[in-house]
Amino acid sequence: MANIMMLLDTSRCIACRACQVACKQWHSLPAEQTNFTGTYQNPPDLSGKNLTLIRFNEFLDKKGMPRWLFFIDRCRHCVTPRCKDACPDGVEITEEGFVVFNHEANPENCRIPMESACPYNIPRFNEDLDQYVKCDFCFDRFKPSAKPITMKNGGKPTTACELACPVGAIFTGDYRTVLGEAVNRLNELRSTYPNANIYFGGYGGIGHVIWLLAEEPTKYNLGTI
Ligand code: SF4
Ligand code: SF4
Ligand code: SF4
């Protein structure tokens, strides 16, 4: 199996949140009751029932007009995952490079505080499952046993969120293909957004998830780790 990567193109994202719903559906996670707090970001944060989240970042442009920048937040699938340092037996790296929690391998340690182990505060505790959860790159959809209904364009294995996204903001594939797609989209985007950039957010080097941003990372409240 190839080294798989995911491009999250925030410039295309329209914050429809179909990805959030598709992720819940694939992982059999229930809805959550939330309250309006003055932002359309909903739910307010990642949780044990929400493995991916569209973050709404507001800022004023040069003309003083308010703008939204959407950030598609989820596990970075780092090349050197700090979560694995915290729980070596319970965190696996698949041959595709996905970082997956394997609670069966280490059930007694399922309550290790993983939020603090991850530099990006990604894993969250699911009370119903009594374990930490996070985006698993839909690793089971990349297995040879995956059903055609989970695939895109008549046969490309893909994640539930990529299949659901109506604007092609999520793009997975062999890492060379994904990096090439990212560079092509960046060159196109820079004609409109001169500060556009590719954000490699994973810990320890280029991870298996990268982002295309229309503005500099600080406008998305992203750090430099
Ligand atoms: S982002 Fe956090 S949870 Fe995901 S692989 Fe990296 S350290 Fe682990
Ligand atoms: S890759 Fe799978 S687990 Fe990760 S956010 Fe998308 S649907 Fe959820
Ligand atoms: S489905 Fe696509 S466009 Fe809709 S919120 Fe998710 S990434 Fe953005």
Side-chain angles (χ1 to χ4, degrees):
M1 177 57 75
N3 189 343
I4 303 292
M5 192 177 248
M6 176 186 295
L7 169 66
L8 297 172
D9 183 348
T10 65
S11 73
R12 288 197 185 187
C13 179
I14 55 173
C16 68
R17 290 172 282 214
C19 51
Q20 293 182 186
V21 176
C23 182
K24 277 177 173 292
Q25 186 182 37
W26 184 249
H27 293 85
S28 303
L29 293 169
E32 271 184 314
Q33 179 72 46
T34 58
N35 296 316
F36 183 64
T37 58
T39 170
Y40 289 114
Q41 182 174 305
N42 188 31
D45 201 357
L46 294 169
S47 75
K49 294 170 184 164
N50 295 288
L51 311 185
T52 183
L53 177 69
I54 306 301
R55 295 197 184 277
F56 284 55
N57 300 286
E58 289 183 19
F59 79 105
L60 297 178
D61 66 15
K62 286 180 183 157
K63 295 177 182 164
M65 297 298 291
R67 272 184 56 197
W68 267 324
L69 291 173
F70 304 127
F71 183 73
I72 309 160
D73 201 9
R74 59 184 59 175
C75 175
R76 276 68 170 154
H77 294 271
C78 308
V79 282
T80 314
R82 297 296 303 273
C83 54
K84 187 164 176 59
D85 293 342
C87 186
D89 296 336
V91 180
E92 289 183 359
I93 302 177
T94 71
E95 57 185 306
E96 298 90 348
F98 309 153
V99 179
V100 177
F101 289 176
N102 183 349
H103 302 288
E104 288 170 13
N106 196 11
E108 68 274 18
N109 280 336
C110 279
R111 298 191 80 106
I112 288 174
M114 296 297 257
E115 299 102 325
S116 53
C118 170
Y120 313 101
N121 190 23
I122 296 296
R124 302 300 166 99
F125 196 72
N126 182 307
E127 299 285 346
D128 298 334
L129 299 173
D130 196 30
Q131 58 193 213
Y132 279 92
V133 293
K134 70 170 189 69
C135 160
D136 61 7
F137 217 117
C138 293
F139 69 98
D140 42 351
R141 298 170 68 118
F142 289 81
K143 289 182 175 172
S145 57
K147 300 262 188 305
I149 199 171
T150 67
M151 298 178 183
K152 194 172 182 183
N153 298 335
K156 178 196 156 196
T158 191
T159 62
C161 53
E162 180 182 7
L163 198 57
C165 181
V167 293
I170 302 173
F171 182 84
T172 65
D174 172 84
Y175 79 99
R176 290 187 195 85
T177 306
V178 173
L179 285 173
E181 180 74 13
V183 170
N184 289 342
R185 291 192 190 191
L186 175 65
N187 290 336
E188 196 177 319
L189 189 61
R190 279 212 168 133
S191 61
T192 314
Y193 296 97
N195 297 325
N197 61 93
I198 298 172
Y199 181 71
F200 302 98
Y203 192 84
I206 299 175
H208 289 261
V209 181
I210 61 173
W211 286 261
L212 182 57
L213 305 180
E215 301 289 350
E216 55 265 42
T218 50
K219 286 214 165 68
Y220 299 78
N221 292 313
L222 294 170
T224 54
I225 296 176

